[in-house]
């Protein structure tokens, strides 16, 4: 499961704050509901995409209170967000040249073999209780990004095959099998929104079918006739080892964390690895790593719907690795002039 952290690590400037700045500037002179939304976004801000989506759902309570026609105002706001998001992503996506893809595709995909060496010895023993090295990896990827970067890298390597590096401990070969963009892509409806109607701040608007079908991710998929989310769920549930990379475990993706917990419940031989950029710094002391790992596992399991009795057992099959262990780029996309 791959999120925006992948594009950021390549050098694309697809952060939430940059998009909010892009949107706010585009609508600074708008005196209608979209302009008021832009002002609110600029004032309140958000660090992660999931936080931004959550605030968008909460903002509907403002529309209910302040707008003469809150339904139409909400639809206007969501339309503006979606159009600007696609334009913003498209501008960044152009920066990933064919030369960059050619230079990095093999190293990025081959580095997936390092997940096992990134584990601690006791964690490897847990996995070897169910599987034996040398691992032959069949890799399926669920990406939540809209850019073409990861699909292009995947396709470039899939066509030529991918060899596991000699120092890829325990991994003998890698075979790329499937990739799906779970939330759509450039050119075919990038999907941005909340997890369910309970995250729409206005009680009245949450009951409106037009609002639900444009604000709730699963309903947006249905509106466009997409089965990408169903494919993604199937990929996840068929996994033996599931790696979560570059995702913030946000509340607006609860449906996916529920799927991850469902995977863990399905058998003692199912494991989840969370690749985090904070892993190395958290290991500076037992206390800091304990807090960090406990909080990360708790967030995943709670948002995935695990009960208190399950959490202790399921958490034993969740391991945390440094994000830099996998998806290694040889170079980075340079800043635009």
């Amino acid at each position: 499961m791959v999120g925006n952290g992948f594009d950021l690590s390549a050098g694309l400037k697809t952060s939430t704050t940059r998009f909010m700045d892009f949107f706010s500037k585009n609508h600074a002179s708008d005196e209608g509901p979209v302009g008021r939304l832009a002002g609110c976004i600029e004032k309140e801000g958000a660090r992660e995409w999931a936080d931004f989506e959550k605030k968008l759902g909460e903002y509907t309570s403002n529309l209910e209170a302040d707008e003469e026609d809150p339904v139409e105002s909400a639809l206007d706001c969501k339309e503006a967000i979606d159009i600007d998001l696609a334009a913003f992503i498209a501008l960044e996506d152009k920066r990933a040249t064919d030369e960059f893809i050619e230079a990095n595709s093999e190293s990025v995909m081959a580095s997936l073999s390092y997940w096992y060496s990134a584990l601690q010895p006791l964690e490897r023993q847990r996995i070897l209780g169910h599987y034996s090295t040398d691992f032959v990896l069949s890799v399926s990827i669920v990406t939540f990004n809209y850019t073409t970067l990861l699909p292009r890298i995947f396709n470039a390597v899939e066509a030529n095959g991918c060899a596991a590096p000699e120092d890829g401990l325990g991994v003998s070969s890698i075979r790329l099998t499937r990739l799906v963009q779970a939330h759509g892509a450039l050119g075919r409806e990038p999907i941005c929104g909340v997890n369910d109607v309970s995250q729409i701040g206005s009680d009245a608007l949450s009951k409106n079918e037009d609002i639900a079908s444009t604000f709730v991710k699963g309903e947006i998929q249905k509106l466009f006739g997409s089965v990408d989310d169903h494919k993604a769920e199937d990929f996840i549930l068929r996994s033996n080892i599931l790696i979560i990379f570059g995702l913030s475990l946000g509340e607006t993706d609860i449906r996916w964390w529920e799927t991850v917990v469902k995977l863990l419940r399905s058998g003692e031989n199912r494991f989840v690895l969370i690749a985090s950029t904070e892993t190395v710094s958290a290991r500076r002391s037992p206390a800091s790593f304990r807090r960090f790992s406990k909080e990360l596992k708790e967030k995943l399991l709670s948002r995935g719907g695990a009960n208190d009795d399950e959490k202790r057992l399921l958490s034993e099959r969740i391991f945390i690795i440094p994000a830099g262990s996998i998806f290694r780029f040889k170079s980075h996309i340079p800043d635009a002039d």
Side-chain angles (χ1 to χ4, degrees):
M1 300 175 69
V2 181
N4 188 48
F6 178 85
D7 287 353
L8 292 173
S9 65
L12 293 180
K13 308 298 185 183
T14 52
S15 68
T16 317
T17 52
R18 281 182 174 267
F19 171 66
M20 289 190 299
D21 185 57
F22 178 88
F23 183 81
S24 297
K25 287 179 178 177
N26 278 358
H27 301 282
S29 61
D30 189 332
E31 296 180 357
V34 175
R36 287 188 279 278
L37 170 63
C40 183
I41 285 175
E42 187 174 26
K43 180 181 178 181
E44 294 190 10
R47 289 186 58 198
E48 307 286 353
W49 281 108
D51 296 332
F52 165 73
E53 291 174 326
K54 185 182 179 185
K55 285 180 179 292
L56 183 60
E58 292 170 348
Y59 186 74
T60 58
S61 61
N62 296 33
L63 297 173
E64 182 183 3
D66 301 335
E67 302 295 336
E68 184 176 340
D69 188 340
V71 171
E72 284 303 311
S73 295
L75 293 175
D76 287 346
C77 288
K78 187 56 167 55
E79 181 179 46
I81 287 286
D82 291 337
I83 290 172
D84 276 22
L85 178 60
F88 169 77
I89 296 296
L91 286 172
E92 279 302 303
D93 191 64
K94 290 178 181 177
R95 296 177 51 229
T97 64
D98 290 342
E99 290 76 17
F100 177 81
I101 300 297
E102 183 178 355
N104 285 276
S105 55
E106 186 173 343
S107 65
V108 167
M109 287 305 175
S111 68
L112 285 172
S113 65
Y114 295 123
W115 68 270
Y116 183 68
S117 59
L119 296 171
Q120 299 304 307
L122 286 175
E123 295 169 342
R124 292 178 204 153
Q125 288 180 19
R126 287 293 312 279
I127 289 177
L128 291 179
H130 301 277
Y131 305 102
S132 59
T133 56
D134 291 328
F135 295 107
V136 177
L137 303 183
S138 294
V139 179
S140 298
I141 294 179
V142 176
T143 175
F144 295 88
N145 299 333
Y146 313 121
T147 64
T148 65
L149 177 61
L150 183 50
R152 287 166 68 195
I153 287 175
F154 182 93
N155 291 335
V157 176
E158 183 187 30
N160 301 315
C162 184
E166 291 183 3
D167 59 346
L169 178 66
V171 177
S172 62
S173 66
I174 303 172
R175 183 169 63 92
L176 303 180
T177 57
R178 306 174 295 179
L179 180 145
V180 63
Q181 290 182 274
H183 287 166
L186 287 175
R188 54 178 189 87
E189 305 94 27
I191 291 170
C192 165
V194 297
N195 187 74
D196 54 70
V197 293
S198 72
Q199 295 179 347
I200 296 175
S202 163
D203 186 57
L205 292 182
S206 71
K207 296 180 174 65
N208 183 283
E209 290 185 6
D210 292 332
I211 299 300
S213 65
T214 52
F215 274 75
V216 178
K217 289 175 183 173
E219 297 303 314
I220 299 170
Q221 299 267 16
K222 293 177 185 176
L223 177 67
F224 286 126
S226 172
V227 295
D228 289 338
D229 54 342
H230 298 304
K231 287 181 180 178
E233 182 179 17
D234 179 64
F235 288 11
I236 293 167
L237 293 177
R238 288 177 180 269
S239 300
N240 300 113
I241 311 294
L242 177 70
I243 302 175
I244 300 172
F245 181 96
L247 285 160
S248 63
L249 307 181
E251 291 181 72
T252 55
D253 284 319
I254 283 175
R255 64 187 300 207
W256 298 112
W257 314 134
E258 290 174 342
T259 302
V260 173
V261 168
K262 185 177 179 181
L263 170 70
L264 285 168
R265 286 172 176 153
S266 69
E268 293 292 318
N269 61 339
R270 300 295 190 263
F271 297 87
V272 171
L273 279 58
I274 303 175
S276 172
T277 56
E278 299 175 40
T279 304
V280 174
S281 61
R283 286 187 176 276
R284 65 185 182 273
S285 80
S288 60
F289 187 70
R290 171 66 176 172
R291 291 192 193 102
F292 166 71
S293 59
K294 185 178 179 180
E295 180 182 342
L296 208 54
K297 292 179 182 183
E298 172 67 23
K299 184 185 290 188
L300 174 60
L301 293 171
S302 293
R303 291 180 177 172
N307 61 45
D308 290 340
D309 292 333
E310 290 178 304
K311 285 179 182 177
R312 182 181 62 81
L313 293 174
L314 297 183
S315 67
E316 292 177 355
R317 288 185 280 116
I318 300 173
F319 307 139
I320 301 170
I321 63 173
S325 302
I326 59 173
F327 288 134
R328 298 179 182 179
F329 289 87
K330 285 185 175 180
S331 60
H332 293 85
I333 298 169
D335 292 341
D337 294 334

